[in-house]
Amino acid sequence: MPGAGKPLCCILAFCLLWPLCFSSPAWGEDCRSKTYPPAGPTFKGTVPTYIINLDLPPSRRWDKLMSEKKTELKTVIHSIKDLANAFIPSGKVIEIVDTKLVWLISTLPYPFNEELKGIANASGIPPGEILLFNIFYEIFTVCTSIVAEDKTGKLYHARNLDFGLFLGWNVKNSSWIITQELKPLVVTLDFQRNNKTVFKSTNFAGYVGIVSGIKPGIFTLTMNERFSLDGGYIGIFEWILGRRDGMWMGFLTRTALENSTSYQEAKDQLVKTRLLAPAYFILGGNKTGEGCVITRSRLATLDIWDLDANGGTWYVVETNYDRWQAPLVLDDRRTPAMKCMNQTKQENISLSTIYDVLSTKPILNKLTVCTTLMEVSEGRSESYLRECIGSCSPW
Ligand SMILES: *[C@@H]1O[C@H](CO)[C@@H](O)[C@H](O)[C@H]1NC(C)=O
Ligand SMILES: *[C@@H]1O[C@H](CO)[C@@H](O)[C@H](O)[C@H]1NC(C)=O
Ligand SMILES: *[C@@H]1O[C@H](CO)[C@@H](O)[C@H](O)[C@H]1NC(C)=O
Ligand SMILES: *[C@@H]1O[C@H](CO)[C@@H](O)[C@H](O)[C@H]1NC(C)=O
Ligand SMILES: *[C@@H]1O[C@H](CO)[C@@H](O)[C@H](O)[C@H]1NC(C)=O
Ligand SMILES: *[C@@H]1O[C@H](CO)[C@@H](O)[C@H](O)[C@H]1NC(C)=O
Ligand SMILES: *[C@@H]1O[C@H](CO)[C@@H](O)[C@H](O)[C@H]1NC(C)=O
């Protein structure tokens, strides 16, 4: 396996120099059209739905999902362990995870602590490794999210979930190992109370936070990683050392979806809560003008970019860069996404034309695991597994 068994510097050098191996640095293409309903080589399948019953005790909520997905989850965790051993080859990392990380679960807020223990019990995977897997999502998610409003005031929210950056490149068939292995773990979760949907999410089985979710009729929410010097590592170290007043980002999004009853309440919560790591929250409501990108540092909200269709801002796009800064030249998914949104025009925006935008390279790239489309007023939510074939940007 490439990546595995090689020292850190080789992996990093390989990743950083990788684009230079191509004669043409351009992985872009013209904006796609008529790609919806999903079909063809970039569409790899639909995503199964599971009910998570919030009326059950937290430790039992994930039993059914885990009984069906534990093998796939073990495969991914095995790869993560291989990688950890490649970075620090003594085998010590996993020993620490298995023996020393376990107590950290008890420091997490309810119900997440209980849920993680339940997942470990139901899957037979050591609790420390389940925790590691949950921390991984908080750190390695790069994405493109869009909220758009059509001429009638209807709101659409969609995203590509790109995951697995730097986590081992498979030279044989040019793909990221973890990105591939994650696809069978993608599920739609229907969180219910009293047998009624409270919210839905697109998740990786085994992760208890939320990166994409919809509260039908009320709001939609996605979260993107924000890289910053004041990064997640500091917050996680502080947590380990005992300073625990910051909230894990995926727990905050889950709390908002589970317990906020309006767009405004969710927005306030996302703006004001102290976090463990910087993040972008992309929130859409059910009324005209209700849509925003919230740029967060750990302690503060740096910017709120609101929809304003009358003022010409009929959509907002967030990748993994602050909107007032240029994206990295090698990783500009924002300009192509805006170009395609501009070409589509507000007159013709819909879930199917947004799917076209998200199917255009390099917005679709080698890290893309799935595309999620949400329409809040009808409570519609659809997820599709994706594959970028041929000459694609590696991220
Ligand atoms: C709107 O989008 C559809 C689907 O991509 C396309 O077939 C149609 O020509 C577009 N209409 C206009 C007015 O641009
Ligand atoms: C662990 O799982 C078993 C079944 O696999 C179940 O009987 C037991 O109650 C579970 N324990 C806890 C603490 O959830
Ligand atoms: C690449 O190979 C891996 C393992 O052999 C497989 O799981 C994956 O689906 C392949 N990816 C592509 C894009 O063919
Ligand atoms: C939910 O539905 C199941 C069967 O459909 C029923 O047994 C159960 O009592 C219901 N639970 C609640 C809280 O209404
Ligand atoms: C969401 O918006 C639709 C369309 O405007 C409206 O019919 C519906 O009542 C709204 N839902 C809620 C819960 O406000
Ligand atoms: C939502 O609120 C209920 C009732 O207060 C609480 O039991 C539950 O843990 C909360 N959910 C989250 C994710 O915090
Ligand atoms: C898209 O349109 C907006 C508003 O007219 C403009 O500010 C932006 O520069 C355009 N972006 C691209 C990439 O075409």
Side-chain angles (χ1 to χ4, degrees):
M1 235 185 265
K6 297 207 184 73
L8 166 66
C9 55
C10 295
I11 299 173
L12 282 183
F14 180 66
C15 292
L16 295 175
L17 297 176
W18 168 252
L20 302 178
C21 303
F22 288 81
S23 48
S24 154
W27 283 288
E29 59 183 352
D30 290 340
C31 300
R32 300 290 308 269
S33 65
K34 300 192 169 38
T35 59
Y36 188 93
T42 69
F43 167 59
K44 278 287 155 192
T46 52
V47 171
T49 299
Y50 290 82
I51 291 172
I52 302 297
N53 183 352
L54 294 169
D55 296 321
L56 288 175
S59 63
R60 307 313 302 266
R61 288 173 187 168
W62 302 88
D63 285 3
K64 174 153 191 305
L65 179 61
M66 278 305 119
S67 74
E68 291 185 26
K69 292 290 184 186
K70 58 176 179 246
T71 312
E72 290 85 350
L73 183 57
K74 278 179 188 152
T75 304
V76 176
I77 291 183
H78 189 83
S79 292
I80 295 178
K81 287 205 276 187
D82 279 352
L83 273 152
N85 285 330
F87 278 70
I88 303 169
S90 63
K92 278 274 189 302
V93 179
I94 297 311
E95 193 189 309
I96 291 172
V97 166
D98 283 345
T99 60
K100 303 256 158 58
L101 225 56
V102 183
W103 65 271
L104 267 184
I105 294 184
S106 310
T107 69
L108 298 178
Y110 180 91
F112 305 105
N113 49 0
E114 294 296 315
E115 291 189 6
L116 289 182
K117 286 179 200 161
I119 288 176
N121 184 38
S123 63
I125 298 169
E129 295 178 18
I130 295 291
L131 178 64
L132 179 72
F133 181 74
N134 273 267
I135 293 176
F136 252 72
Y137 286 133
E138 306 267 324
I139 300 180
F140 284 100
T141 317
V142 293
C143 316
T144 303
S145 292
I146 299 173
V147 177
E149 178 174 333
D150 73 9
K151 285 282 185 190
T152 70
K154 210 173 190 185
L155 285 148
Y156 304 97
H157 191 157
R159 74 119 95 238
N160 273 359
L161 185 56
D162 301 350
F163 190 91
L165 188 59
F166 298 148
L167 298 181
W169 179 257
N170 186 340
V171 218
K172 279 200 217 103
N173 63 9
S174 299
S175 64
W176 294 100
I177 294 165
I178 304 242
T179 306
Q180 289 301 331
E181 290 179 352
L182 277 170
K183 287 180 191 173
L185 282 181
V186 179
V187 287
T188 297
L189 299 179
D190 182 347
F191 288 81
Q192 299 189 345
R193 271 189 208 119
N194 299 320
N195 288 345
K196 282 208 203 61
T197 298
V198 180
F199 67 101
K200 287 185 186 175
S201 75
T202 307
N203 263 57
F204 296 113
Y207 178 56
V208 298
I210 304 285
V211 292
S212 324
I214 176 167
K215 189 145 186 159
I218 303 176
F219 65 87
T220 50
L221 174 59
T222 59
M223 174 177 79
N224 292 2
E225 169 72 12
R226 178 168 177 260
F227 303 99
S228 145
L229 287 177
D230 176 32
Y233 319 97
I234 303 172
I236 291 167
F237 276 124
E238 279 188 3
W239 189 280
I240 292 172
L241 296 176
R243 171 154 197 182
R244 311 219 169 94
D245 51 358
M247 184 90 159
W248 297 75
M249 297 79 68
F251 295 172
L252 177 60
T253 48
R254 162 113 177 246
T255 304
L257 280 155
E258 204 168 304
N259 286 341
S260 284
T261 52
S262 70
Y263 172 82
Q264 194 56 47
E265 187 186 341
K267 189 173 174 181
D268 286 345
Q269 212 172 10
L270 298 168
V271 164
K272 289 181 186 150
T273 308
R274 187 188 166 110
L275 293 177
L276 223 53
Y280 300 102
F281 297 119
I282 303 91
L283 184 66
N286 191 45
K287 278 207 292 282
T288 176
E290 288 186 343
C292 63
V293 175
I294 300 166
T295 303
R296 284 293 315 260
S297 72
R298 294 168 60 209
L299 306 182
T301 289
L302 306 180
D303 180 60
I304 302 177
W305 181 15
D306 282 304
L307 279 183
D308 173 17
N310 292 334
T313 308
W314 59 274
Y315 69 85
V316 289
V317 170
E318 180 55 54
T319 58
N320 300 92
Y321 300 94
D322 297 342
R323 69 163 161 142
W324 57 92
Q325 277 177 346
L328 274 184
V329 176
L330 280 176
D331 179 32
D332 186 3
R333 286 161 284 127
R334 182 171 72 196
T335 309
M338 291 180 79
K339 186 184 116 197
C340 295
M341 289 297 284
N342 287 358
Q343 267 182 32
T344 307
K345 301 201 184 70
Q346 193 184 9
E347 289 73 25
N348 206 15
I349 206 70
S350 65
L351 288 189
S352 54
T353 51
I354 295 177
Y355 188 82
D356 288 337
V357 174
L358 293 173
S359 302
T360 302
K361 296 174 191 177
I363 305 152
L364 181 72
N365 59 65
K366 288 284 186 191
L367 285 172
T368 306
V369 175
C370 69
T371 299
T372 298
L373 306 174
M374 299 182 281
E375 197 280 294
V376 71
S377 73
E378 286 159 29
R380 198 170 142 200
S381 161
E382 304 168 7
S383 292
Y384 303 99
L385 297 177
R386 305 304 302 267
E387 181 100 51
C388 194
I389 333 253
S391 137
C392 290
S393 169
W395 45 74

